[in-house]
Every structure is written in structure tokens, then in C-alpha cells.
Amino acid sequence: MEYLTFALAKGRLAAKTLELLEQIGITCEEMKDKSSRKLIFVNEELKLKFFLSKGPDVPTYVEYGAADIGVVGSDTILEENRRVYEVLDLGFGKCRMCVCGPAFAKELLQHHEMIRVASKYPKIAKDYFYNQKHQTVDIIKLNGSVELGPIVGLSDVIVDIVETGSTLKENGLEVLEEICPLSARMIVNQVSMKMEAERIKKILQALKEALKKCEL
Ligand code: PRP
């Protein structure tokens, strides 16, 4: 039997995913050792491998087949636009992709003005402004702490993830428009989905049942 390899986005999503996998009997004890610098973990009994990577790299590993299965936020799936199958909404990691800024910037979104938009998600921002709002904007790519954009005068608004809203509030910004809801998703390599159909479908079915139980 070949190994099935999982790529998990580092951080909270990976921790939640491992909890969920444990509920269906998939464990990886090696991974729980926080002091370890190992990058890849193996469950020999189940012939499974796991590795952690930066979120935006997860769809890349899955598209190229370096991982059969990935778990990552739908924000990253939309931004990376890789050829993978999105097979399951895991329901956790819920947040929203929004246009945010100071309250007075709301006006700038209503008259098709040429504005500056800072974002870690230039593709999502471009798609929203160009294809949905038909507003020509200047998109500036940032790599984090995007809320700084309007505060320091780099941009008029930002396109970013809002979870609790506290980062915005503490920085005098607010949600001006909502683009879409987001959550953690499971993605599968297109070839693996055919070659390993039985094993993957079994895992998906068990996960769906575990998620149903969580809802009850
Ligand atoms: C994300 C996002 C916001 C914040 C939203 O940033 O970019 O800054 O979380 O969460 P909240 O609504 O609960 O305050 P992250 O912590 O991933 O770091 P980053 O700014 O470096 O991207």
C-alpha cells in the first residue's frame, strides 16, 4: 500500500484538523512533540504521512501531487487558484473576507473612484473590485499587518480577513463591505482522487459523520 500524504496549513487550522482526524481514528503521535524540528511525520500502521507548511503552499503541494490531501482556508484556495478538488467544508476557522477601512472611506466605494487597496490577497481583491463592483483600483500587495495600510496612508482601504473584528476596532477601522464567508476546506489532488478513490472516500465519509456529530 502506498502512503497517503496530508499537507496541513501551519497553526490553528492544523491543530483543529488533527483533533478532527483523531475523532475518526487517525492519529500521529510524532506530531504532538512540540519541541521536534521534524517536518514530516509518519503513521506506519495506517500508511499515512503528514507535513506542515505555510498556508499558501498547501494548494501547490496538492496540485503537484506532493500531497494527496490538503487542509487550508478557503481564502488561500481562492487566492492560489490551483487545479485541485475542493471536497469538504470542515466548518472551523470561520471568518469573512471584507473590504475594511475608516468609516469615511465607505463613500469612496460608492462612486467608482480610483482608490488604493492594500491586501495580502491581491487576486481576491482584484476579482472583487474589477469583476463584481466594476471599479478600477490600484492594488498594493502586503504580506501581513495589512490594517496598517489606511492608518499610515499607504491605501484608502484594505481587503482582509475579519474574524472577531477586534484588530479593526483597536485600530479605528471597520468593515465597509463583505466579500465572502470563509472556513477551512479539505482539498484533494486530481489524480489521487482517482487512484486512491477508495481510501480517500472512506476518510471523507468518516469526517462527514464526525462533523455531523459535532453539530448535534
Ligand atoms: C488576520 C487578519 C487580521 C486578523 C483578523 O491576521 O489579517 O489582521 O487576523 O482577526 P480578528 O478579526 O479576530 O481581529 P493574522 O493574525 O493572520 O496576521 P497577519 O496580519 O500577519 O496576516
Side-chain angles (χ1 to χ4, degrees):
M1 190 159 56
E2 296 271 332
Y3 284 99
L4 264 189
T5 303
F6 286 74
L8 308 178
K10 263 184 204 170
R12 261 181 300 171
L13 285 192
K16 281 266 190 192
T17 307
L18 291 174
E19 264 174 44
L20 184 64
L21 288 172
E22 276 209 24
Q23 285 181 37
I24 65 162
I26 295 179
T27 51
C28 190
E29 291 307 313
E30 263 193 315
M31 236 172 157
K32 291 181 184 163
D33 176 7
K34 297 271 182 266
S35 62
S36 169
R37 302 287 295 165
K38 260 178 108 165
L39 293 172
I40 189 144
F41 306 91
V42 187
N43 179 326
E44 281 300 345
E45 204 187 320
L46 299 173
K47 286 277 177 234
L48 298 173
K49 282 185 185 171
F50 302 86
F51 64 83
L52 298 173
S53 78
K54 289 262 184 192
D57 294 338
V58 169
T60 313
Y61 285 114
V62 175
E63 180 182 281
Y64 285 92
D68 302 287
I69 297 174
V71 174
V72 68
S74 48
D75 50 323
T76 305
I77 297 172
L78 289 170
E79 185 64 28
E80 296 299 315
N81 199 26
R82 293 281 176 181
R83 280 168 299 176
V84 296
Y85 292 135
E86 190 182 314
V87 292
L88 190 60
D89 183 346
L90 296 169
F92 51 77
K94 278 201 170 104
C95 50
R96 302 176 290 157
M97 186 63 75
C98 299
V99 181
C100 313
F104 64 80
K106 207 170 182 108
E107 181 78 7
L108 303 174
L109 301 173
Q110 269 139 35
H111 308 292
H112 289 187
E113 290 196 43
M114 177 72 184
I115 55 169
R116 281 182 167 181
V117 180
S119 186
K120 231 163 98 169
Y121 302 91
K123 185 187 171 295
I124 294 176
K126 188 173 170 197
D127 184 61
Y128 180 68
F129 278 99
Y130 283 64
N131 300 332
Q132 294 192 45
K133 281 180 69 77
H134 306 291
Q135 182 170 5
T136 306
V137 295
D138 186 5
I139 292 165
I140 304 167
K141 164 91 199 275
L142 287 180
N143 293 298
S145 302
V146 178
E147 289 83 358
L148 275 172
I151 299 173
V152 301
L154 175 73
S155 68
D156 299 289
V157 297
I158 60 172
V159 164
D160 200 17
I161 288 172
V162 179
E163 192 180 352
T164 61
S166 53
T167 310
L168 290 178
K169 206 169 163 204
E170 284 183 34
N171 292 290
L173 306 174
E174 56 186 66
V175 171
L176 304 174
E177 287 176 359
E178 185 169 326
I179 300 178
C180 62
L182 303 166
S183 58
R185 306 290 161 94
M186 184 162 271
I187 54 176
V188 176
N189 171 268
Q190 295 186 342
V191 176
S192 308
M193 197 68 205
K194 291 189 187 78
M195 305 300 286
E196 292 286 352
E198 209 174 307
R199 286 173 83 194
I200 293 175
K201 281 185 184 155
K202 223 169 135 188
I203 293 171
L204 283 176
Q205 194 50 42
L207 286 172
K208 280 181 196 164
E209 279 162 26
L211 289 170
K212 243 189 236 157
K213 268 190 215 152
C214 294
E215 279 169 19
L216 295 176

